[in-house]
Short mmCIF file of all heavy atoms in Angstrom, two decimals:
data_model
loop_
_atom_site.label_atom_id
_atom_site.label_comp_id
_atom_site.label_asym_id
_atom_site.label_seq_id
_atom_site.Cartn_x
_atom_site.Cartn_y
_atom_site.Cartn_z
N ALA A 253 -55.03 116.36 52.22
CA ALA A 253 -54.62 116.39 53.63
C ALA A 253 -55.21 117.60 54.33
O ALA A 253 -55.22 118.72 53.81
CB ALA A 253 -53.10 116.42 53.73
N LEU A 254 -55.68 117.37 55.54
CA LEU A 254 -56.31 118.42 56.32
C LEU A 254 -55.38 119.60 56.52
O LEU A 254 -55.82 120.76 56.50
CB LEU A 254 -56.72 117.85 57.69
CG LEU A 254 -57.59 118.74 58.57
CD1 LEU A 254 -59.01 118.75 58.06
CD2 LEU A 254 -57.57 118.25 60.02
N THR A 255 -54.11 119.35 56.71
CA THR A 255 -53.14 120.41 56.97
C THR A 255 -52.91 121.32 55.76
O THR A 255 -52.26 122.36 55.88
CB THR A 255 -51.80 119.81 57.43
OG1 THR A 255 -51.44 118.74 56.55
CG2 THR A 255 -51.91 119.28 58.85
N GLU A 256 -53.42 120.93 54.60
CA GLU A 256 -53.30 121.76 53.41
C GLU A 256 -54.52 122.66 53.21
O GLU A 256 -54.58 123.43 52.24
CB GLU A 256 -53.12 120.88 52.17
CG GLU A 256 -51.85 120.03 52.19
CD GLU A 256 -51.77 119.10 51.00
OE1 GLU A 256 -52.64 119.18 50.11
OE2 GLU A 256 -50.83 118.28 50.96
N ILE A 257 -55.48 122.57 54.11
CA ILE A 257 -56.74 123.32 53.99
C ILE A 257 -56.75 124.43 55.06
O ILE A 257 -56.50 124.16 56.23
CB ILE A 257 -57.95 122.40 54.16
CG1 ILE A 257 -57.89 121.25 53.14
CG2 ILE A 257 -59.25 123.18 54.00
CD1 ILE A 257 -58.94 120.17 53.37
N ASP A 258 -57.04 125.64 54.65
CA ASP A 258 -56.98 126.80 55.53
C ASP A 258 -58.23 126.88 56.41
O ASP A 258 -59.33 127.07 55.90
CB ASP A 258 -56.85 128.07 54.67
CG ASP A 258 -56.62 129.32 55.50
OD1 ASP A 258 -56.67 129.26 56.74
OD2 ASP A 258 -56.40 130.38 54.89
N PHE A 259 -58.05 126.76 57.72
CA PHE A 259 -59.19 126.83 58.63
C PHE A 259 -59.85 128.20 58.60
O PHE A 259 -61.08 128.32 58.73
CB PHE A 259 -58.74 126.52 60.07
CG PHE A 259 -59.88 126.46 61.06
CD1 PHE A 259 -60.52 125.26 61.34
CD2 PHE A 259 -60.31 127.61 61.72
CE1 PHE A 259 -61.57 125.22 62.26
CE2 PHE A 259 -61.35 127.57 62.64
CZ PHE A 259 -61.98 126.36 62.91
N SER A 260 -59.06 129.26 58.41
CA SER A 260 -59.60 130.62 58.53
C SER A 260 -60.68 130.93 57.50
O SER A 260 -61.50 131.82 57.72
CB SER A 260 -58.48 131.65 58.43
OG SER A 260 -57.96 131.72 57.11
N THR A 261 -60.68 130.23 56.38
CA THR A 261 -61.67 130.49 55.33
C THR A 261 -62.72 129.39 55.20
O THR A 261 -63.54 129.43 54.28
CB THR A 261 -60.97 130.67 53.97
OG1 THR A 261 -60.25 129.48 53.64
CG2 THR A 261 -60.00 131.85 54.01
N LEU A 262 -62.73 128.44 56.12
CA LEU A 262 -63.62 127.28 55.99
C LEU A 262 -65.10 127.65 55.99
O LEU A 262 -65.92 126.92 55.46
CB LEU A 262 -63.39 126.30 57.14
CG LEU A 262 -62.24 125.31 57.00
CD1 LEU A 262 -62.23 124.36 58.20
CD2 LEU A 262 -62.36 124.52 55.71
N PHE A 263 -65.44 128.78 56.58
CA PHE A 263 -66.85 129.11 56.76
C PHE A 263 -67.27 130.28 55.88
O PHE A 263 -68.29 130.91 56.12
CB PHE A 263 -67.12 129.37 58.25
CG PHE A 263 -66.75 128.17 59.08
CD1 PHE A 263 -65.47 128.04 59.60
CD2 PHE A 263 -67.65 127.13 59.26
CE1 PHE A 263 -65.11 126.91 60.31
CE2 PHE A 263 -67.29 125.99 59.96
CZ PHE A 263 -66.01 125.88 60.48
N ASP A 264 -66.44 130.54 54.86
CA ASP A 264 -66.74 131.57 53.87
C ASP A 264 -67.29 130.92 52.60
O ASP A 264 -67.16 129.71 52.39
CB ASP A 264 -65.47 132.35 53.52
CG ASP A 264 -64.87 133.06 54.72
OD1 ASP A 264 -65.59 133.27 55.71
OD2 ASP A 264 -63.67 133.39 54.66
N VAL A 265 -67.87 131.74 51.75
CA VAL A 265 -68.45 131.24 50.50
C VAL A 265 -67.39 130.55 49.65
O VAL A 265 -67.66 129.55 48.98
CB VAL A 265 -69.11 132.39 49.72
CG1 VAL A 265 -69.62 131.90 48.37
CG2 VAL A 265 -70.26 132.98 50.54
N ALA A 266 -66.17 131.07 49.69
CA ALA A 266 -65.10 130.51 48.86
C ALA A 266 -64.81 129.05 49.16
O ALA A 266 -64.29 128.32 48.31
CB ALA A 266 -63.81 131.33 49.04
N ALA A 267 -65.15 128.60 50.37
CA ALA A 267 -64.87 127.21 50.76
C ALA A 267 -66.03 126.26 50.45
O ALA A 267 -65.92 125.06 50.70
CB ALA A 267 -64.56 127.15 52.25
N ASN A 268 -67.12 126.78 49.90
CA ASN A 268 -68.27 125.93 49.62
C ASN A 268 -67.87 124.71 48.79
O ASN A 268 -67.24 124.84 47.74
CB ASN A 268 -69.34 126.70 48.85
CG ASN A 268 -70.16 127.61 49.75
OD1 ASN A 268 -70.02 127.61 50.97
ND2 ASN A 268 -71.04 128.39 49.14
N ASN A 269 -68.22 123.53 49.31
CA ASN A 269 -68.00 122.26 48.59
C ASN A 269 -66.54 122.01 48.27
O ASN A 269 -66.21 121.31 47.30
CB ASN A 269 -68.86 122.21 47.32
CG ASN A 269 -70.32 122.46 47.60
OD1 ASN A 269 -70.86 121.91 48.56
ND2 ASN A 269 -70.94 123.32 46.83
N GLY A 270 -65.66 122.54 49.12
CA GLY A 270 -64.24 122.26 48.97
C GLY A 270 -63.87 120.93 49.58
O GLY A 270 -64.72 120.14 50.00
N ASP A 271 -62.58 120.67 49.68
CA ASP A 271 -62.10 119.37 50.15
C ASP A 271 -62.51 119.07 51.58
O ASP A 271 -62.61 117.91 51.97
CB ASP A 271 -60.58 119.30 50.03
CG ASP A 271 -60.11 119.30 48.58
OD1 ASP A 271 -60.79 118.71 47.74
OD2 ASP A 271 -59.07 119.91 48.29
N GLU A 272 -62.75 120.11 52.38
CA GLU A 272 -63.14 119.89 53.78
C GLU A 272 -64.57 119.35 53.88
O GLU A 272 -64.92 118.67 54.83
CB GLU A 272 -63.03 121.19 54.57
CG GLU A 272 -63.37 121.07 56.04
CD GLU A 272 -62.18 120.73 56.92
OE1 GLU A 272 -61.04 120.87 56.47
OE2 GLU A 272 -62.40 120.32 58.08
N SER A 273 -65.41 119.67 52.91
CA SER A 273 -66.84 119.40 53.01
C SER A 273 -67.15 117.93 52.73
O SER A 273 -66.80 117.39 51.68
CB SER A 273 -67.61 120.28 52.03
OG SER A 273 -69.00 120.11 52.19
N ILE A 274 -67.82 117.29 53.66
CA ILE A 274 -68.33 115.93 53.48
C ILE A 274 -69.81 115.98 53.10
O ILE A 274 -70.23 115.45 52.07
CB ILE A 274 -68.14 115.10 54.76
CG1 ILE A 274 -66.66 114.98 55.13
CG2 ILE A 274 -68.77 113.71 54.60
CD1 ILE A 274 -65.80 114.25 54.11
N LEU A 275 -70.60 116.65 53.91
CA LEU A 275 -72.01 116.88 53.61
C LEU A 275 -72.36 118.26 54.12
O LEU A 275 -72.11 118.58 55.28
CB LEU A 275 -72.90 115.82 54.27
CG LEU A 275 -74.41 115.97 54.06
CD1 LEU A 275 -74.78 115.88 52.58
CD2 LEU A 275 -75.18 114.91 54.87
N ALA A 276 -72.93 119.09 53.24
CA ALA A 276 -73.24 120.46 53.61
C ALA A 276 -74.57 120.88 53.02
O ALA A 276 -74.93 120.49 51.90
CB ALA A 276 -72.14 121.41 53.15
N ILE A 277 -75.30 121.68 53.78
CA ILE A 277 -76.54 122.29 53.29
C ILE A 277 -76.15 123.41 52.34
O ILE A 277 -75.38 124.29 52.67
CB ILE A 277 -77.37 122.83 54.46
CG1 ILE A 277 -77.78 121.68 55.40
CG2 ILE A 277 -78.60 123.57 53.96
CD1 ILE A 277 -78.38 122.13 56.71
N GLN A 278 -76.70 123.35 51.12
CA GLN A 278 -76.32 124.28 50.06
C GLN A 278 -77.13 125.58 50.17
O GLN A 278 -78.36 125.56 50.13
CB GLN A 278 -76.55 123.63 48.70
CG GLN A 278 -75.79 122.32 48.51
CD GLN A 278 -74.29 122.52 48.51
OE1 GLN A 278 -73.75 123.24 47.66
NE2 GLN A 278 -73.61 121.89 49.46
N CYS A 279 -76.42 126.69 50.31
CA CYS A 279 -77.06 127.97 50.58
C CYS A 279 -76.84 128.95 49.44
O CYS A 279 -75.84 128.88 48.72
CB CYS A 279 -76.51 128.54 51.88
SG CYS A 279 -76.87 127.52 53.34
N ALA A 280 -77.77 129.87 49.29
CA ALA A 280 -77.68 130.86 48.23
C ALA A 280 -78.46 132.11 48.63
O ALA A 280 -79.33 132.06 49.51
CB ALA A 280 -78.24 130.30 46.92
N VAL A 281 -78.14 133.23 48.01
CA VAL A 281 -78.87 134.48 48.24
C VAL A 281 -80.09 134.48 47.33
O VAL A 281 -80.05 135.01 46.22
CB VAL A 281 -77.96 135.69 47.97
CG1 VAL A 281 -78.72 137.00 48.23
CG2 VAL A 281 -76.71 135.64 48.84
N GLN A 282 -81.15 133.85 47.81
CA GLN A 282 -82.37 133.72 46.99
C GLN A 282 -83.63 134.00 47.80
O GLN A 282 -84.73 133.70 47.36
CB GLN A 282 -82.45 132.31 46.40
CG GLN A 282 -81.38 132.02 45.36
CD GLN A 282 -81.52 130.63 44.76
OE1 GLN A 282 -82.10 129.73 45.36
NE2 GLN A 282 -80.96 130.45 43.57
N GLY A 283 -83.49 134.55 49.01
CA GLY A 283 -84.65 134.86 49.82
C GLY A 283 -84.70 134.01 51.07
O GLY A 283 -83.87 133.12 51.29
N TYR A 284 -85.68 134.30 51.89
CA TYR A 284 -85.84 133.63 53.18
C TYR A 284 -85.88 132.11 53.02
O TYR A 284 -86.63 131.60 52.18
CB TYR A 284 -87.11 134.11 53.87
CG TYR A 284 -87.34 133.49 55.23
CD1 TYR A 284 -86.67 133.97 56.34
CD2 TYR A 284 -88.21 132.42 55.38
CE1 TYR A 284 -86.87 133.40 57.59
CE2 TYR A 284 -88.41 131.84 56.62
CZ TYR A 284 -87.75 132.33 57.72
OH TYR A 284 -87.94 131.76 58.95
N SER A 285 -85.08 131.42 53.80
CA SER A 285 -84.98 129.96 53.88
C SER A 285 -84.14 129.34 52.77
O SER A 285 -83.88 128.15 52.79
CB SER A 285 -86.35 129.28 53.95
OG SER A 285 -86.97 129.20 52.69
N PHE A 286 -83.70 130.15 51.80
CA PHE A 286 -82.84 129.62 50.74
C PHE A 286 -81.36 129.77 51.06
O PHE A 286 -80.52 129.29 50.31
CB PHE A 286 -83.14 130.31 49.40
CG PHE A 286 -84.40 129.83 48.74
CD1 PHE A 286 -85.59 130.51 48.91
CD2 PHE A 286 -84.39 128.69 47.95
CE1 PHE A 286 -86.76 130.07 48.31
CE2 PHE A 286 -85.56 128.24 47.34
CZ PHE A 286 -86.75 128.93 47.52
N GLY A 287 -81.04 130.46 52.16
CA GLY A 287 -79.64 130.72 52.49
C GLY A 287 -79.32 130.46 53.94
O GLY A 287 -80.16 130.00 54.72
N ASN A 288 -78.09 130.77 54.31
CA ASN A 288 -77.58 130.57 55.65
C ASN A 288 -78.01 131.75 56.53
O ASN A 288 -77.63 132.90 56.25
CB ASN A 288 -76.05 130.47 55.59
CG ASN A 288 -75.41 130.13 56.91
OD1 ASN A 288 -75.99 130.29 57.97
ND2 ASN A 288 -74.17 129.66 56.86
N ALA A 289 -78.76 131.48 57.58
CA ALA A 289 -79.28 132.55 58.45
C ALA A 289 -78.32 132.91 59.57
O ALA A 289 -78.57 133.86 60.31
CB ALA A 289 -80.63 132.13 59.04
N HIS A 290 -77.22 132.17 59.72
CA HIS A 290 -76.31 132.42 60.85
C HIS A 290 -75.73 133.82 60.82
O HIS A 290 -75.48 134.42 61.87
CB HIS A 290 -75.17 131.40 60.86
CG HIS A 290 -75.60 129.98 61.11
ND1 HIS A 290 -76.85 129.66 61.56
CD2 HIS A 290 -74.93 128.81 61.00
CE1 HIS A 290 -76.94 128.34 61.71
NE2 HIS A 290 -75.78 127.81 61.37
N ASN A 291 -75.46 134.34 59.63
CA ASN A 291 -74.85 135.67 59.52
C ASN A 291 -75.73 136.72 60.18
O ASN A 291 -75.22 137.69 60.75
CB ASN A 291 -74.61 136.03 58.06
CG ASN A 291 -73.71 137.24 57.90
OD1 ASN A 291 -72.52 137.18 58.19
ND2 ASN A 291 -74.29 138.34 57.45
N VAL A 292 -77.04 136.53 60.12
CA VAL A 292 -77.97 137.44 60.77
C VAL A 292 -78.14 137.07 62.24
O VAL A 292 -78.04 137.92 63.13
CB VAL A 292 -79.34 137.43 60.05
CG1 VAL A 292 -80.37 138.22 60.84
CG2 VAL A 292 -79.21 137.98 58.65
N ALA A 293 -78.39 135.81 62.51
CA ALA A 293 -78.71 135.37 63.87
C ALA A 293 -77.56 135.56 64.84
O ALA A 293 -77.77 135.75 66.04
CB ALA A 293 -79.14 133.90 63.85
N TRP A 294 -76.31 135.51 64.33
CA TRP A 294 -75.16 135.54 65.22
C TRP A 294 -74.33 136.81 65.13
O TRP A 294 -73.48 137.05 65.99
CB TRP A 294 -74.24 134.34 64.92
CG TRP A 294 -74.85 133.01 65.19
CD1 TRP A 294 -76.06 132.75 65.74
CD2 TRP A 294 -74.27 131.74 64.87
NE1 TRP A 294 -76.29 131.38 65.79
CE2 TRP A 294 -75.21 130.74 65.27
CE3 TRP A 294 -73.08 131.34 64.28
CZ2 TRP A 294 -74.95 129.37 65.10
CZ3 TRP A 294 -72.82 129.99 64.12
CH2 TRP A 294 -73.76 129.02 64.53
N SER A 295 -74.50 137.64 64.11
CA SER A 295 -73.67 138.83 63.97
C SER A 295 -73.89 139.79 65.12
O SER A 295 -75.01 140.02 65.57
CB SER A 295 -73.98 139.55 62.66
OG SER A 295 -73.39 138.89 61.57
N ARG A 296 -72.79 140.41 65.55
CA ARG A 296 -72.83 141.25 66.74
C ARG A 296 -73.64 142.52 66.54
O ARG A 296 -74.42 142.91 67.41
CB ARG A 296 -71.40 141.62 67.14
CG ARG A 296 -71.34 142.54 68.35
CD ARG A 296 -69.94 143.06 68.60
NE ARG A 296 -69.86 143.75 69.89
CZ ARG A 296 -68.80 144.37 70.34
NH1 ARG A 296 -67.70 144.42 69.58
NH2 ARG A 296 -68.80 144.97 71.51
N SER A 297 -73.43 143.21 65.42
CA SER A 297 -74.03 144.53 65.28
C SER A 297 -74.13 144.94 63.82
O SER A 297 -73.60 144.28 62.92
CB SER A 297 -73.18 145.58 66.01
OG SER A 297 -71.99 145.84 65.27
N SER A 298 -74.77 146.09 63.59
CA SER A 298 -74.92 146.62 62.24
C SER A 298 -73.61 147.16 61.69
O SER A 298 -73.53 147.49 60.50
CB SER A 298 -75.98 147.72 62.22
OG SER A 298 -75.61 148.77 63.11
N VAL A 299 -72.57 147.23 62.51
CA VAL A 299 -71.26 147.62 62.00
C VAL A 299 -70.73 146.56 61.03
O VAL A 299 -70.05 146.87 60.06
CB VAL A 299 -70.26 147.83 63.16
CG1 VAL A 299 -68.85 148.13 62.63
CG2 VAL A 299 -70.73 148.95 64.07
#
Side-chain angles (χ1 to χ4, degrees):
L254 189 75
T255 47
E256 298 175 5
I257 303 171
D258 186 354
F259 184 92
S260 70
T261 60
L262 277 184
F263 302 90
D264 299 340
V265 175
N268 282 355
N269 306 315
D271 293 324
E272 182 90 16
S273 185
I274 299 297
L275 178 61
I277 297 170
Q278 302 295 300
C279 297
V281 181
Q282 292 182 337
Y284 181 80
S285 78
F286 283 96
N288 186 340
H290 294 348
N291 193 69
V292 172
W294 296 355
S295 283
R296 179 189 190 184
S297 74
S298 59
V299 176

